[in-house]
């Protein structure tokens, strides 16, 4: 019998998905790919399936079904299409772990389905915890499932907490690179275009998270993600700007001691840690050289210029469906900015408008989240120029 862990990768054609496959290629004695999925990239999905021989592939865009089926007709691989199939496939009995590397709210339903089927999760899709963190983490606890974070900051905190189960966390510090516009003022930000925002100084990522990093919304989403992953109160979560991205985050305990996890910025490391936990698998990832980094620096984030971070913090404190509102508004805002429909600062105006106008629900059910997401998207679209 194979002792390899069977992995389903949702969003295998993206930045995290392709890096996860690089890790699995290197560590093939430990991991086997059971499921691969993409939104509409049929060509890469076919190529990946030819190499990794999953049991099943799913393409969310149904118009691409024939292309994928034709492309894989010689191989014994089942091909499905559509969002429903994406949510169903995570429940396959042979799947041990589901790696959620798709973008945005689309990750919520498959993650809940995976937890219902008692699968462990390697979670990159932070939006799922932002939207419905309480629901997701309580289902994981009820079904005895683990959620292993892939986001580098959360992987760092997770690693700092190994061996500390008897000790309470006083506070965590999530580090932020500050993005490409660190130190800039609102005047400058009013003129920036997507080409500038898409150039991240330290990380090469998908378009949505790169824009979120430039606006600091990413760090706001990560505060909410951390709240649910580590069971913290909002005032236990702080953000510190650290432009070199070497310290990936810090946990502070009740005696005042702090543990930090550090290393070169490379998502393959947190991906491999999540897949391989509790083992640290031997790897050839580039090693850190102290001489190349004579100083590691820290500054306070500028939440007056980068209002998204302040608004996400407010949403975290308010709770209920407010983070779901912020997330949906932000998804529409980022898509509109990427299509040159609105400017960089207008993204914050759109989010604020939705926060002020969508009905607040203190204790939302799953159906409430679905309704909130739909209503917010509708409202946000009204904000866009015709
Ligand atoms: P990408 O845009 O690079 O990739 C997204 C993947 O999900 C692609 O495979 C895409 O398919 C698929 N996808 C997108 N939308 C849908 C949808 N509606 N339904 C089904 N599949 C969909 O994103 P990233 O890899 O950068 O990010 C993935 C997640 O990981 C995000 O939540 C992000 O915040 C998080 N994350 C990413 C980091 C990074 O370094 N990239 C770091 C930390 C967290 P297709 O290729 O066909 O479009
Ligand atoms: Mg991160």
């Amino acid at each position: 019998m194979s002792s390899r862990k069977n992995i389903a990768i949702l969003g295998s054609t993206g930045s995290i998905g392709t890096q996860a496959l690089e890790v699995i290629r290197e560590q093939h004695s430990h991991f086997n790919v059971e499921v691969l999925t993409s939104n509409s990239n049929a060509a890469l999905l076919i190529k990946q399936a030819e190499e990794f021989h999953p049991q099943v592939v799913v393409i969310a865009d149904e118009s691409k079904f024939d292309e994928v089926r034709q492309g894989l007709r010689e191989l014994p691989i089942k091909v499905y299409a559509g969002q429903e199939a994406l949510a169903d496939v995570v429940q396959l009995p042979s799947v041990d772990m589901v790696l959620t590397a798709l973008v945005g709210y689309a990750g919520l339903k498959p993650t809940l389905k995976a937890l219902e089927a008692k699968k462990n999760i390697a979670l990159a899709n932070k939006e799922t915890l932002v939207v419905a963190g309480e629901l997701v983490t309580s289902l994981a606890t009820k079904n005895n499932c683990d959620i292993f974070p892939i986001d580098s900051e959360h992987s760092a905190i997770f690693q700092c907490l190994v061996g500390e189960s008897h000790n309470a966390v006083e506070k965590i510090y999530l580090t932020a690179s500050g993005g490409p516009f660190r130190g800039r003022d609102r005047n400058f930000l009013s003129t920036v275009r997507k080409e500038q925002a898409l150039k991240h100084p330290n990380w090469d990522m998908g378009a949505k998270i790169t824009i979120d990093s430039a606006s600091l919304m990413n760090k706001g989403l990560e505060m909410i993600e951390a709240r649910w992953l580590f069971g913290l109160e909002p005032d236990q979560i702080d953000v510190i700007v650290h432009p070199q991205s070497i310290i990936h985050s810090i946990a502070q305990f009740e005696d005042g001691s702090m543990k930090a996890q550090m290393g070169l910025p490379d998502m393959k490391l947190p991906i491999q840690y999540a897949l391989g936990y509790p083992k640290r698998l031997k790897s050839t990832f580039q090693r850190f050289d102290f001489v190349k980094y004579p100083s590691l620096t820290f500054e306070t984030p500028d939440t007056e210029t980068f209002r998204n971070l302040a608004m996400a913090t407010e949403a975290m404190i308010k709770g209920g469906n407010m983070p779901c509102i912020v997330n949906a508004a932000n998804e529409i805002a980022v898509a509109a900015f990427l299509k040159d429909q609105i400017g960089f600062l207008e993204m914050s105006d759109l989010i604020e408008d939705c926060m002020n106008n969508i009905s607040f629900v203190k204790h939302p059910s799953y159906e409430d989240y679905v309704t909130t997401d739909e209503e917010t998207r509708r409202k946000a679209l009204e904000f866009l120029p015709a």
Side-chain angles (χ1 to χ4, degrees):
M1 207 180 78
S2 160
S3 59
R4 294 192 299 172
K5 221 180 256 179
N6 289 326
I7 316 284
I9 305 181
L10 307 185
S12 62
T13 51
S15 160
I16 293 290
T18 50
Q19 292 181 85
L21 287 173
E22 280 180 50
V23 167
I24 292 174
R25 187 184 290 120
E26 280 288 308
Q27 304 286 355
H28 59 268
S29 59
H30 296 282
F31 308 116
N32 172 55
V33 176
E34 276 298 278
V35 175
L36 293 172
T37 83
S38 77
N39 189 29
S40 62
N41 190 340
L44 184 54
L45 185 64
I46 292 168
K47 194 162 163 260
Q48 292 177 338
E50 285 169 344
E51 178 182 352
F52 289 94
H53 296 272
Q55 224 192 99
V56 176
V57 301
V58 181
I59 186 141
D61 178 348
E62 294 177 32
S63 71
K64 300 285 180 76
F65 172 70
D66 278 335
E67 187 182 342
V68 179
R69 201 186 44 174
Q70 275 303 317
L72 295 175
R73 67 183 182 281
E74 309 279 332
L75 294 170
I77 297 174
K78 294 190 194 78
V79 179
Y80 300 113
Q83 291 291 344
E84 282 303 312
L86 194 77
D88 288 343
V89 84
V90 297
Q91 299 197 328
L92 279 177
S94 56
V95 168
D96 298 315
M97 179 180 261
V98 178
L99 192 163
T100 62
L102 30 65
V103 194
Y105 176 84
L108 176 59
K109 195 166 175 196
T111 308
L112 289 171
K113 285 268 200 166
L115 290 170
E116 277 165 18
K118 300 191 162 52
K119 309 293 185 189
N120 289 333
I121 308 287
L123 184 134
N125 175 244
K126 64 189 86 185
E127 294 91 342
T128 280
L129 287 185
V130 171
V131 170
E134 194 163 13
L135 191 72
V136 171
T137 50
S138 59
L139 182 59
T141 307
K142 180 174 151 233
N143 283 357
N144 241 325
C145 301
D146 288 314
I147 301 180
F148 300 106
I150 284 181
D151 214 347
S152 57
E153 297 77 2
H154 305 74
S155 174
I157 299 293
F158 187 85
Q159 294 179 54
C160 293
L161 297 185
V162 169
E164 300 285 0
S165 59
H166 297 289
N167 296 316
V169 172
E170 186 170 77
K171 191 170 193 143
I172 63 169
Y173 290 91
L174 299 177
T175 51
S177 71
F181 306 138
R182 182 174 62 90
R184 300 292 196 165
D185 60 15
R186 291 181 64 78
N187 244 344
F188 176 85
L189 291 182
S190 68
T191 67
V192 303
R193 308 281 305 212
K194 66 176 180 218
E195 292 75 15
Q196 296 158 279
L198 283 169
K199 282 200 191 104
H200 194 278
N202 302 343
W203 299 97
D204 186 10
M205 310 177 285
K208 197 251 172 189
I209 182 174
T210 306
I211 302 300
D212 284 345
S213 299
S215 72
L216 293 203
M217 177 54 93
N218 182 51
K219 215 45 58 178
L221 302 180
E222 289 183 352
M223 290 174 83
I224 304 171
E225 180 186 13
R227 167 171 201 192
W228 297 116
L229 276 173
F230 305 114
L232 300 171
E233 291 302 318
D235 63 2
Q236 292 177 288
I237 305 169
D238 225 329
V239 169
I240 188 84
V241 175
H242 165 48
Q244 298 80 22
S245 297
I246 294 299
I247 292 186
H248 298 306
S249 280
I250 299 144
Q252 177 176 306
F253 298 91
E254 289 185 316
D255 59 356
S257 175
M258 299 164 104
K259 277 165 93 174
Q261 186 264 337
M262 62 189 283
L264 290 170
D266 181 349
M267 286 309 296
K268 290 199 288 303
L269 207 147
I271 291 169
Q272 179 172 295
Y273 189 75
L275 295 182
Y277 181 86
K279 281 211 170 115
R280 289 189 182 275
L281 303 173
K282 199 171 170 61
S283 89
T284 56
F285 303 146
Q286 201 185 336
R287 287 353 188 207
F288 181 72
D289 177 354
F290 281 90
V291 177
K292 286 193 184 144
Y293 291 87
S295 75
L296 298 181
T297 61
F298 305 92
E299 14 179 298
T300 311
D302 175 359
T303 50
E304 275 170 33
T305 305
F306 296 91
R307 288 172 61 220
N308 283 2
L309 179 55
M311 289 192 291
T313 307
E314 189 189 322
M316 169 175 67
I317 294 166
K318 182 124 196 204
N321 65 341
M322 195 52 90
C324 175
I325 296 171
V326 167
N327 178 70
N330 183 56
E331 287 191 28
I332 299 290
V334 171
F337 176 70
L338 285 170
K339 284 190 237 150
D340 295 319
Q341 289 175 311
I342 58 173
F344 192 81
L345 292 177
E346 281 171 293
M347 290 196 285
S348 308
D349 300 338
L350 184 156
I351 295 162
E352 186 174 39
D353 189 58
C354 290
M355 288 175 80
N356 290 336
N357 286 296
I358 302 293
S359 359
F360 179 67
V361 184
K362 185 71 199 153
H363 297 290
S365 63
Y366 174 71
E367 289 69 29
D368 291 324
Y369 288 123
V370 174
T371 310
T372 300
D373 181 75
E374 282 169 5
E375 271 179 22
T376 309
R377 282 166 200 269
R378 221 174 300 127
K379 180 83 201 153
L381 288 172
E382 283 170 19
F383 189 93
L384 302 181

